[in-house]
Amino acid sequence: MDNIDRRSAVLLGAAFLAPALGSARTAHAAMYAKDAGKEIMPGVRQVDLGKWPVALPNYKSIVITDYVVAPGSGFPPDKMKNDMICHILEGEFRAKKDSKEFTTKAGDVFVCVTGETEEDTNTGQVDAVMRVIDLMTA
């Protein structure tokens, strides 16, 4: 880790801050009504938590969104439009990023980089909640 660039350092630092940023409004699938937020695709509901300015190099604001995902549902492969931090609050997801596949459980944090292709599926037996912190350049 001797050759870490500035962008990686910022993303790594932001990943460590993710739980603290959302701790005041911790979400559990049970805390959301079945019709909370808006359904963006079958089995996936989007709950918008807000947008805040940030003092991070290369970023002007963050947008925090919870996604409540029913068992077996998820997000199809999609290119990431911006850098983001994903924090699993409840449940379990199988994530595919380009050619890598891994399982994430409650408490896990991972990052996505602009241009990367990602796919996520709730592989558990209960609704899962993924908090996404989008790092916005504009």
Side-chain angles (χ1 to χ4, degrees):
M1 198 139 148
D2 294 327
N3 296 331
I4 189 166
D5 64 5
R6 187 176 187 171
R7 179 182 174 129
S8 296
V10 168
L11 288 175
L12 186 60
F16 284 118
L17 290 175
L21 288 171
S23 64
R25 299 169 108 176
T26 301
H28 299 285
M31 80 177 280
Y32 285 120
K34 288 289 183 193
D35 61 350
K38 62 183 173 189
E39 186 171 37
I40 59 169
M41 60 186 74
V44 179
R45 299 197 69 77
Q46 176 180 321
V47 181
D48 297 321
L49 299 178
K51 180 177 182 175
W52 294 269
V54 293
L56 290 171
N58 303 321
Y59 302 106
K60 299 218 184 277
S61 62
I62 60 171
V63 175
I64 302 180
T65 308
D66 282 352
Y67 293 95
V68 181
V69 181
S73 297
F75 301 94
D78 192 24
K79 270 199 185 297
M80 300 297 100
K81 302 193 181 24
N82 53 275
D83 296 334
M84 62 185 72
I85 302 163
C86 299
H87 182 203
I88 308 306
L89 299 176
E90 285 284 323
E92 182 175 305
F93 286 92
R94 184 192 79 239
K96 280 186 186 178
K97 289 173 57 167
D98 293 327
S99 60
K100 295 172 78 175
E101 188 171 325
F102 55 96
T103 299
T104 60
K105 297 182 180 190
D108 289 347
V109 174
F110 62 96
V111 297
C112 301
V113 179
T114 304
E116 206 173 39
T117 298
E118 182 182 343
E119 175 183 2
D120 302 294
T121 304
N122 177 351
T123 54
Q125 301 299 312
V126 299
D127 286 352
V129 178
M130 180 188 309
R131 177 160 290 166
V132 176
I133 302 170
D134 288 294
L135 303 164
M136 310 303 289
T137 57

